[in-house]
Amino acid sequence: MSIGFRIACLQMQTGNDLQANLAAVRAAAREAAASGAQFVLTPEYVLMMDGSGRVMRERALAADGSPALAELQSLARELKVWLLAGSLTVATDDGRIANRSALLSAAGEVVATYDKIHMFDVTLPDGRPIRESSAYRPGDRAVIADTPWGRLGLTVCYDLRFPGLYRSLARAGAQFITVPSSFQRQTGKVHWHTLVRARAIENGCFIIAPAMCGEHAGNRQTYGHTLVVDPWGEVLADGGEAPAIVYAEIDPAAVARARAMIPSIAHDRPFSPPAVERAAE
C-alpha cells in the first residue's frame, strides 16, 4: 500500500556567497520540517548562483562536494528528512564543472547523484547568448533511486525540454521526477508551466520542480514559479515569483490510477526512423 507524504520545495533567490546561501537553506529547511515536511527539495544552483561562468568555476566545490555537501548531509540527519540538493557545482578533472543534483536520505546518506545531461546553449529572445557547455561538463547517464514512498527520477532544469529522458525514467519505474531549476525569466514566462505539465501528463507521474526566483549576481534573472504537478496534469502548488516555501501533499497511488486510465507507457512501440518521401518525377 502506498503512503502519502508531505513535501516542501524551497523557492530561493540564491547569490554568490556560499555561507549566506547555506544559512538560508538551513533556516528554510528547519521551518519546512517543523511544518511536517518529510522531503525537502531545493533548486538548481542552490548554494552558488552567478551569471558569470568564470565565477561559478572559481567558486565550485571540490569533486566530492566538500565542504558544503557534508553540511547538507548533517542538516538532513538533524531534521530527519529526505533532502534534494537541487544542484551543486563541483570541480571535474577536465577543468570544467559538473552541475550535480544530490539526493540525501533522512540518515544523511548520499543515495544518488545526477549530473545534468543537457547543456543550455541558447540565444535568449533579447539576443543574449548563453553557452553553458563552455563552463560545464555534461553528464551521460540517467539516474533513478528508491525512496520510502516510491521510485524517484532525477533531472535538472534544461533537461525538461527533452521528453525522451523523462520517458526513460518513467519506463524504469519512476513515480516522481524532480526538476530543480533556475529557468530564465524570458523563457520561463512562456514555456515553464506548459513543459512541466506536459512531462507529468505524458508519463503519468508527479513532477516536482523547485525553482530559483528574482535577480542574481552577474545579470541573471530567474522566473520562479516552483511547481508540483500530479500525474493527471493538475497543478498542486505554484510558488509565484518571490522566495517561499512551497508545500504539497503527494499521493503515490495517484500514479497507478493515472497510468491505468491512460496506459501510454505500456503502449510504447518501436518504430523505424523516418525516411523522406519524394514524389515520383
PDB file of all heavy atoms in Angstrom, residues 215-247:
ATOM      1  N   GLU A 215      16.378  38.328  -8.933  1.00  0.00           N
ATOM      2  CA  GLU A 215      17.596  38.867  -9.524  1.00  0.00           C
ATOM      3  C   GLU A 215      18.813  38.227  -8.861  1.00  0.00           C
ATOM      4  O   GLU A 215      18.828  38.022  -7.649  1.00  0.00           O
ATOM      5  CB  GLU A 215      17.652  40.381  -9.321  1.00  0.00           C
ATOM      6  CG  GLU A 215      16.416  41.140  -9.772  1.00  0.00           C
ATOM      7  CD  GLU A 215      16.304  41.224 -11.279  1.00  0.00           C
ATOM      8  OE1 GLU A 215      17.355  41.266 -11.947  1.00  0.00           O
ATOM      9  OE2 GLU A 215      15.165  41.271 -11.787  1.00  0.00           O
ATOM     10  N   HIS A 216      19.839  37.957  -9.677  1.00  0.00           N
ATOM     11  CA  HIS A 216      21.041  37.315  -9.170  1.00  0.00           C
ATOM     12  C   HIS A 216      22.277  38.032  -9.699  1.00  0.00           C
ATOM     13  O   HIS A 216      22.211  38.753 -10.707  1.00  0.00           O
ATOM     14  CB  HIS A 216      21.081  35.842  -9.596  1.00  0.00           C
ATOM     15  CG  HIS A 216      19.806  35.107  -9.340  1.00  0.00           C
ATOM     16  ND1 HIS A 216      19.529  34.475  -8.148  1.00  0.00           N
ATOM     17  CD2 HIS A 216      18.717  34.920 -10.123  1.00  0.00           C
ATOM     18  CE1 HIS A 216      18.318  33.929  -8.210  1.00  0.00           C
ATOM     19  NE2 HIS A 216      17.805  34.192  -9.402  1.00  0.00           N
ATOM     20  N   ALA A 217      23.403  37.812  -9.028  1.00  0.00           N
ATOM     21  CA  ALA A 217      24.663  38.411  -9.468  1.00  0.00           C
ATOM     22  C   ALA A 217      24.984  37.986 -10.898  1.00  0.00           C
ATOM     23  O   ALA A 217      24.596  36.899 -11.338  1.00  0.00           O
ATOM     24  CB  ALA A 217      25.788  37.985  -8.528  1.00  0.00           C
ATOM     25  N   GLY A 218      25.702  38.846 -11.605  1.00  0.00           N
ATOM     26  CA  GLY A 218      26.093  38.503 -12.970  1.00  0.00           C
ATOM     27  C   GLY A 218      24.983  38.693 -13.983  1.00  0.00           C
ATOM     28  O   GLY A 218      24.964  38.020 -15.012  1.00  0.00           O
ATOM     29  N   ASN A 219      24.016  39.584 -13.676  1.00  0.00           N
ATOM     30  CA  ASN A 219      22.943  39.916 -14.622  1.00  0.00           C
ATOM     31  C   ASN A 219      22.107  38.704 -14.986  1.00  0.00           C
ATOM     32  O   ASN A 219      21.854  38.426 -16.170  1.00  0.00           O
ATOM     33  CB  ASN A 219      23.515  40.555 -15.894  1.00  0.00           C
ATOM     34  CG  ASN A 219      22.447  41.159 -16.773  1.00  0.00           C
ATOM     35  OD1 ASN A 219      21.410  41.614 -16.275  1.00  0.00           O
ATOM     36  ND2 ASN A 219      22.667  41.155 -18.079  1.00  0.00           N
ATOM     37  N   ARG A 220      21.668  37.968 -13.979  1.00  0.00           N
ATOM     38  CA  ARG A 220      20.835  36.794 -14.192  1.00  0.00           C
ATOM     39  C   ARG A 220      19.473  37.033 -13.553  1.00  0.00           C
ATOM     40  O   ARG A 220      19.383  37.507 -12.414  1.00  0.00           O
ATOM     41  CB  ARG A 220      21.515  35.571 -13.555  1.00  0.00           C
ATOM     42  CG  ARG A 220      20.823  34.237 -13.806  1.00  0.00           C
ATOM     43  CD  ARG A 220      21.121  33.694 -15.186  1.00  0.00           C
ATOM     44  NE  ARG A 220      20.444  32.432 -15.394  1.00  0.00           N
ATOM     45  CZ  ARG A 220      20.993  31.235 -15.178  1.00  0.00           C
ATOM     46  NH1 ARG A 220      22.235  31.148 -14.724  1.00  0.00           N
ATOM     47  NH2 ARG A 220      20.314  30.127 -15.422  1.00  0.00           N
ATOM     48  N   GLN A 221      18.409  36.724 -14.274  1.00  0.00           N
ATOM     49  CA  GLN A 221      17.045  36.842 -13.749  1.00  0.00           C
ATOM     50  C   GLN A 221      16.343  35.499 -13.924  1.00  0.00           C
ATOM     51  O   GLN A 221      16.369  34.933 -15.029  1.00  0.00           O
ATOM     52  CB  GLN A 221      16.249  37.929 -14.482  1.00  0.00           C
ATOM     53  CG  GLN A 221      16.839  39.327 -14.376  1.00  0.00           C
ATOM     54  CD  GLN A 221      17.900  39.596 -15.414  1.00  0.00           C
ATOM     55  OE1 GLN A 221      17.809  39.107 -16.545  1.00  0.00           O
ATOM     56  NE2 GLN A 221      18.908  40.362 -15.053  1.00  0.00           N
ATOM     57  N   THR A 222      15.744  35.014 -12.863  1.00  0.00           N
ATOM     58  CA  THR A 222      15.044  33.724 -12.950  1.00  0.00           C
ATOM     59  C   THR A 222      13.555  33.894 -12.690  1.00  0.00           C
ATOM     60  O   THR A 222      13.108  34.870 -12.080  1.00  0.00           O
ATOM     61  CB  THR A 222      15.649  32.697 -11.984  1.00  0.00           C
ATOM     62  OG1 THR A 222      15.683  33.239 -10.661  1.00  0.00           O
ATOM     63  CG2 THR A 222      17.054  32.317 -12.412  1.00  0.00           C
ATOM     64  N   TYR A 223      12.804  32.909 -13.167  1.00  0.00           N
ATOM     65  CA  TYR A 223      11.357  33.034 -13.287  1.00  0.00           C
ATOM     66  C   TYR A 223      10.599  32.680 -12.011  1.00  0.00           C
ATOM     67  O   TYR A 223       9.487  33.163 -11.788  1.00  0.00           O
ATOM     68  CB  TYR A 223      10.888  32.150 -14.439  1.00  0.00           C
ATOM     69  CG  TYR A 223       9.408  32.173 -14.718  1.00  0.00           C
ATOM     70  CD1 TYR A 223       8.765  33.362 -15.054  1.00  0.00           C
ATOM     71  CD2 TYR A 223       8.655  31.007 -14.650  1.00  0.00           C
ATOM     72  CE1 TYR A 223       7.405  33.385 -15.324  1.00  0.00           C
ATOM     73  CE2 TYR A 223       7.298  31.015 -14.923  1.00  0.00           C
ATOM     74  CZ  TYR A 223       6.667  32.209 -15.253  1.00  0.00           C
ATOM     75  OH  TYR A 223       5.329  32.223 -15.521  1.00  0.00           O
ATOM     76  N   GLY A 224      11.155  31.831 -11.158  1.00  0.00           N
ATOM     77  CA  GLY A 224      10.388  31.371 -10.003  1.00  0.00           C
ATOM     78  C   GLY A 224       9.326  30.368 -10.412  1.00  0.00           C
ATOM     79  O   GLY A 224       9.536  29.524 -11.273  1.00  0.00           O
ATOM     80  N   HIS A 225       8.157  30.454  -9.772  1.00  0.00           N
ATOM     81  CA  HIS A 225       7.029  29.561 -10.045  1.00  0.00           C
ATOM     82  C   HIS A 225       7.421  28.090  -9.859  1.00  0.00           C
ATOM     83  O   HIS A 225       7.214  27.246 -10.753  1.00  0.00           O
ATOM     84  CB  HIS A 225       6.455  29.809 -11.438  1.00  0.00           C
ATOM     85  CG  HIS A 225       5.740  31.117 -11.561  1.00  0.00           C
ATOM     86  ND1 HIS A 225       4.452  31.291 -11.124  1.00  0.00           N
ATOM     87  CD2 HIS A 225       6.166  32.317 -12.043  1.00  0.00           C
ATOM     88  CE1 HIS A 225       4.085  32.552 -11.338  1.00  0.00           C
ATOM     89  NE2 HIS A 225       5.116  33.195 -11.885  1.00  0.00           N
ATOM     90  N   THR A 226       7.999  27.791  -8.691  1.00  0.00           N
ATOM     91  CA  THR A 226       8.114  26.392  -8.285  1.00  0.00           C
ATOM     92  C   THR A 226       6.785  25.699  -8.547  1.00  0.00           C
ATOM     93  O   THR A 226       5.727  26.227  -8.210  1.00  0.00           O
ATOM     94  CB  THR A 226       8.447  26.321  -6.781  1.00  0.00           C
ATOM     95  OG1 THR A 226       9.795  26.740  -6.599  1.00  0.00           O
ATOM     96  CG2 THR A 226       8.251  24.925  -6.226  1.00  0.00           C
ATOM     97  N   LEU A 227       6.843  24.505  -9.140  1.00  0.00           N
ATOM     98  CA  LEU A 227       5.611  23.776  -9.462  1.00  0.00           C
ATOM     99  C   LEU A 227       5.660  22.355  -8.915  1.00  0.00           C
ATOM    100  O   LEU A 227       6.703  21.699  -8.946  1.00  0.00           O
ATOM    101  CB  LEU A 227       5.411  23.706 -10.977  1.00  0.00           C
ATOM    102  CG  LEU A 227       5.064  25.002 -11.707  1.00  0.00           C
ATOM    103  CD1 LEU A 227       4.945  24.733 -13.215  1.00  0.00           C
ATOM    104  CD2 LEU A 227       3.758  25.603 -11.181  1.00  0.00           C
ATOM    105  N   VAL A 228       4.501  21.907  -8.451  1.00  0.00           N
ATOM    106  CA  VAL A 228       4.268  20.497  -8.166  1.00  0.00           C
ATOM    107  C   VAL A 228       3.033  20.111  -8.967  1.00  0.00           C
ATOM    108  O   VAL A 228       1.957  20.696  -8.789  1.00  0.00           O
ATOM    109  CB  VAL A 228       4.037  20.231  -6.666  1.00  0.00           C
ATOM    110  CG1 VAL A 228       3.843  18.732  -6.422  1.00  0.00           C
ATOM    111  CG2 VAL A 228       5.195  20.774  -5.829  1.00  0.00           C
ATOM    112  N   VAL A 229       3.200  19.154  -9.872  1.00  0.00           N
ATOM    113  CA  VAL A 229       2.123  18.749 -10.785  1.00  0.00           C
ATOM    114  C   VAL A 229       1.858  17.271 -10.610  1.00  0.00           C
ATOM    115  O   VAL A 229       2.796  16.464 -10.543  1.00  0.00           O
ATOM    116  CB  VAL A 229       2.499  19.062 -12.248  1.00  0.00           C
ATOM    117  CG1 VAL A 229       1.382  18.644 -13.202  1.00  0.00           C
ATOM    118  CG2 VAL A 229       2.784  20.557 -12.411  1.00  0.00           C
ATOM    119  N   ASP A 230       0.583  16.911 -10.536  1.00  0.00           N
ATOM    120  CA  ASP A 230       0.246  15.499 -10.307  1.00  0.00           C
ATOM    121  C   ASP A 230       0.180  14.732 -11.628  1.00  0.00           C
ATOM    122  O   ASP A 230       0.303  15.318 -12.721  1.00  0.00           O
ATOM    123  CB  ASP A 230      -1.040  15.381  -9.480  1.00  0.00           C
ATOM    124  CG  ASP A 230      -2.327  15.618 -10.270  1.00  0.00           C
ATOM    125  OD1 ASP A 230      -2.295  15.793 -11.510  1.00  0.00           O
ATOM    126  OD2 ASP A 230      -3.402  15.639  -9.634  1.00  0.00           O
ATOM    127  N   PRO A 231      -0.008  13.399 -11.579  1.00  0.00           N
ATOM    128  CA  PRO A 231       0.048  12.593 -12.802  1.00  0.00           C
ATOM    129  C   PRO A 231      -1.057  12.872 -13.809  1.00  0.00           C
ATOM    130  O   PRO A 231      -0.966  12.419 -14.960  1.00  0.00           O
ATOM    131  CB  PRO A 231      -0.050  11.145 -12.270  1.00  0.00           C
ATOM    132  CG  PRO A 231       0.419  11.220 -10.866  1.00  0.00           C
ATOM    133  CD  PRO A 231      -0.052  12.549 -10.366  1.00  0.00           C
ATOM    134  N   TRP A 232      -2.076  13.588 -13.409  1.00  0.00           N
ATOM    135  CA  TRP A 232      -3.159  13.944 -14.332  1.00  0.00           C
ATOM    136  C   TRP A 232      -2.947  15.332 -14.917  1.00  0.00           C
ATOM    137  O   TRP A 232      -3.760  15.816 -15.688  1.00  0.00           O
ATOM    138  CB  TRP A 232      -4.504  13.851 -13.606  1.00  0.00           C
ATOM    139  CG  TRP A 232      -5.685  13.696 -14.499  1.00  0.00           C
ATOM    140  CD1 TRP A 232      -6.715  14.575 -14.655  1.00  0.00           C
ATOM    141  CD2 TRP A 232      -5.971  12.608 -15.388  1.00  0.00           C
ATOM    142  NE1 TRP A 232      -7.630  14.098 -15.568  1.00  0.00           N
ATOM    143  CE2 TRP A 232      -7.192  12.881 -16.033  1.00  0.00           C
ATOM    144  CE3 TRP A 232      -5.310  11.413 -15.698  1.00  0.00           C
ATOM    145  CZ2 TRP A 232      -7.772  12.028 -16.964  1.00  0.00           C
ATOM    146  CZ3 TRP A 232      -5.880  10.553 -16.620  1.00  0.00           C
ATOM    147  CH2 TRP A 232      -7.099  10.870 -17.248  1.00  0.00           C
ATOM    148  N   GLY A 233      -1.864  15.990 -14.520  1.00  0.00           N
ATOM    149  CA  GLY A 233      -1.545  17.310 -15.033  1.00  0.00           C
ATOM    150  C   GLY A 233      -2.070  18.460 -14.202  1.00  0.00           C
ATOM    151  O   GLY A 233      -1.938  19.622 -14.602  1.00  0.00           O
ATOM    152  N   GLU A 234      -2.662  18.160 -13.044  1.00  0.00           N
ATOM    153  CA  GLU A 234      -3.177  19.224 -12.184  1.00  0.00           C
ATOM    154  C   GLU A 234      -2.031  19.862 -11.401  1.00  0.00           C
ATOM    155  O   GLU A 234      -1.172  19.159 -10.855  1.00  0.00           O
ATOM    156  CB  GLU A 234      -4.211  18.661 -11.195  1.00  0.00           C
ATOM    157  CG  GLU A 234      -5.462  18.111 -11.857  1.00  0.00           C
ATOM    158  CD  GLU A 234      -6.321  19.200 -12.480  1.00  0.00           C
ATOM    159  OE1 GLU A 234      -6.228  20.365 -12.027  1.00  0.00           O
ATOM    160  OE2 GLU A 234      -7.084  18.893 -13.412  1.00  0.00           O
ATOM    161  N   VAL A 235      -2.020  21.182 -11.340  1.00  0.00           N
ATOM    162  CA  VAL A 235      -1.008  21.909 -10.574  1.00  0.00           C
ATOM    163  C   VAL A 235      -1.427  21.901  -9.104  1.00  0.00           C
ATOM    164  O   VAL A 235      -2.426  22.509  -8.726  1.00  0.00           O
ATOM    165  CB  VAL A 235      -0.844  23.345 -11.090  1.00  0.00           C
ATOM    166  CG1 VAL A 235       0.139  24.118 -10.210  1.00  0.00           C
ATOM    167  CG2 VAL A 235      -0.367  23.338 -12.540  1.00  0.00           C
ATOM    168  N   LEU A 236      -0.641  21.206  -8.278  1.00  0.00           N
ATOM    169  CA  LEU A 236      -0.936  21.133  -6.849  1.00  0.00           C
ATOM    170  C   LEU A 236      -0.391  22.339  -6.094  1.00  0.00           C
ATOM    171  O   LEU A 236      -0.906  22.689  -5.030  1.00  0.00           O
ATOM    172  CB  LEU A 236      -0.342  19.855  -6.248  1.00  0.00           C
ATOM    173  CG  LEU A 236      -0.798  18.532  -6.861  1.00  0.00           C
ATOM    174  CD1 LEU A 236      -0.148  17.366  -6.122  1.00  0.00           C
ATOM    175  CD2 LEU A 236      -2.321  18.415  -6.841  1.00  0.00           C
ATOM    176  N   ALA A 237       0.675  22.949  -6.623  1.00  0.00           N
ATOM    177  CA  ALA A 237       1.266  24.107  -5.956  1.00  0.00           C
ATOM    178  C   ALA A 237       2.048  24.918  -6.975  1.00  0.00           C
ATOM    179  O   ALA A 237       2.671  24.368  -7.875  1.00  0.00           O
ATOM    180  CB  ALA A 237       2.188  23.661  -4.820  1.00  0.00           C
ATOM    181  N   ASP A 238       2.008  26.243  -6.807  1.00  0.00           N
ATOM    182  CA  ASP A 238       2.751  27.180  -7.657  1.00  0.00           C
ATOM    183  C   ASP A 238       3.351  28.233  -6.736  1.00  0.00           C
ATOM    184  O   ASP A 238       2.632  28.917  -6.016  1.00  0.00           O
ATOM    185  CB  ASP A 238       1.807  27.814  -8.680  1.00  0.00           C
ATOM    186  CG  ASP A 238       2.504  28.738  -9.675  1.00  0.00           C
ATOM    187  OD1 ASP A 238       3.509  29.378  -9.299  1.00  0.00           O
ATOM    188  OD2 ASP A 238       2.036  28.836 -10.820  1.00  0.00           O
ATOM    189  N   GLY A 239       4.679  28.366  -6.764  1.00  0.00           N
ATOM    190  CA  GLY A 239       5.360  29.221  -5.810  1.00  0.00           C
ATOM    191  C   GLY A 239       5.342  30.708  -6.117  1.00  0.00           C
ATOM    192  O   GLY A 239       5.878  31.490  -5.331  1.00  0.00           O
ATOM    193  N   GLY A 240       4.766  31.122  -7.257  1.00  0.00           N
ATOM    194  CA  GLY A 240       4.782  32.542  -7.573  1.00  0.00           C
ATOM    195  C   GLY A 240       6.185  33.030  -7.879  1.00  0.00           C
ATOM    196  O   GLY A 240       7.047  32.268  -8.316  1.00  0.00           O
ATOM    197  N   GLU A 241       6.439  34.305  -7.643  1.00  0.00           N
ATOM    198  CA  GLU A 241       7.681  34.929  -8.105  1.00  0.00           C
ATOM    199  C   GLU A 241       8.639  35.319  -6.996  1.00  0.00           C
ATOM    200  O   GLU A 241       9.754  35.766  -7.289  1.00  0.00           O
ATOM    201  CB  GLU A 241       7.340  36.165  -8.938  1.00  0.00           C
ATOM    202  CG  GLU A 241       6.554  35.834 -10.200  1.00  0.00           C
ATOM    203  CD  GLU A 241       6.238  37.057 -11.043  1.00  0.00           C
ATOM    204  OE1 GLU A 241       6.576  38.179 -10.603  1.00  0.00           O
ATOM    205  OE2 GLU A 241       5.674  36.892 -12.132  1.00  0.00           O
ATOM    206  N   ALA A 242       8.275  35.150  -5.719  1.00  0.00           N
ATOM    207  CA  ALA A 242       9.120  35.581  -4.606  1.00  0.00           C
ATOM    208  C   ALA A 242       9.609  34.368  -3.814  1.00  0.00           C
ATOM    209  O   ALA A 242       9.013  33.285  -3.884  1.00  0.00           O
ATOM    210  CB  ALA A 242       8.347  36.526  -3.690  1.00  0.00           C
ATOM    211  N   PRO A 243      10.698  34.524  -3.057  1.00  0.00           N
ATOM    212  CA  PRO A 243      11.151  33.410  -2.218  1.00  0.00           C
ATOM    213  C   PRO A 243      10.027  32.903  -1.310  1.00  0.00           C
ATOM    214  O   PRO A 243       9.256  33.692  -0.752  1.00  0.00           O
ATOM    215  CB  PRO A 243      12.291  34.028  -1.401  1.00  0.00           C
ATOM    216  CG  PRO A 243      12.818  35.126  -2.277  1.00  0.00           C
ATOM    217  CD  PRO A 243      11.599  35.695  -2.952  1.00  0.00           C
ATOM    218  N   ALA A 244       9.945  31.586  -1.184  1.00  0.00           N
ATOM    219  CA  ALA A 244       8.844  30.988  -0.429  1.00  0.00           C
ATOM    220  C   ALA A 244       9.156  29.525  -0.142  1.00  0.00           C
ATOM    221  O   ALA A 244      10.046  28.929  -0.761  1.00  0.00           O
ATOM    222  CB  ALA A 244       7.536  31.084  -1.224  1.00  0.00           C
ATOM    223  N   ILE A 245       8.427  28.969   0.791  1.00  0.00           N
ATOM    224  CA  ILE A 245       8.416  27.519   0.995  1.00  0.00           C
ATOM    225  C   ILE A 245       7.096  27.019   0.426  1.00  0.00           C
ATOM    226  O   ILE A 245       6.025  27.466   0.839  1.00  0.00           O
ATOM    227  CB  ILE A 245       8.547  27.146   2.478  1.00  0.00           C
ATOM    228  CG1 ILE A 245       9.840  27.730   3.053  1.00  0.00           C
ATOM    229  CG2 ILE A 245       8.528  25.627   2.639  1.00  0.00           C
ATOM    230  CD1 ILE A 245       9.998  27.512   4.554  1.00  0.00           C
ATOM    231  N   VAL A 246       7.182  26.115  -0.521  1.00  0.00           N
ATOM    232  CA  VAL A 246       6.008  25.659  -1.268  1.00  0.00           C
ATOM    233  C   VAL A 246       5.713  24.213  -0.857  1.00  0.00           C
ATOM    234  O   VAL A 246       6.512  23.320  -1.104  1.00  0.00           O
ATOM    235  CB  VAL A 246       6.264  25.750  -2.784  1.00  0.00           C
ATOM    236  CG1 VAL A 246       5.047  25.297  -3.571  1.00  0.00           C
ATOM    237  CG2 VAL A 246       6.660  27.175  -3.169  1.00  0.00           C
ATOM    238  N   TYR A 247       4.554  24.010  -0.247  1.00  0.00           N
ATOM    239  CA  TYR A 247       4.201  22.695   0.287  1.00  0.00           C
ATOM    240  C   TYR A 247       3.228  21.979  -0.642  1.00  0.00           C
ATOM    241  O   TYR A 247       2.434  22.607  -1.349  1.00  0.00           O
ATOM    242  CB  TYR A 247       3.543  22.832   1.661  1.00  0.00           C
ATOM    243  CG  TYR A 247       4.439  23.403   2.729  1.00  0.00           C
ATOM    244  CD1 TYR A 247       4.402  24.773   3.043  1.00  0.00           C
ATOM    245  CD2 TYR A 247       5.320  22.597   3.436  1.00  0.00           C
ATOM    246  CE1 TYR A 247       5.216  25.311   4.023  1.00  0.00           C
ATOM    247  CE2 TYR A 247       6.142  23.119   4.428  1.00  0.00           C
ATOM    248  CZ  TYR A 247       6.087  24.473   4.717  1.00  0.00           C
ATOM    249  OH  TYR A 247       6.899  25.001   5.691  1.00  0.00           O
TER     250      TYR A 247
END
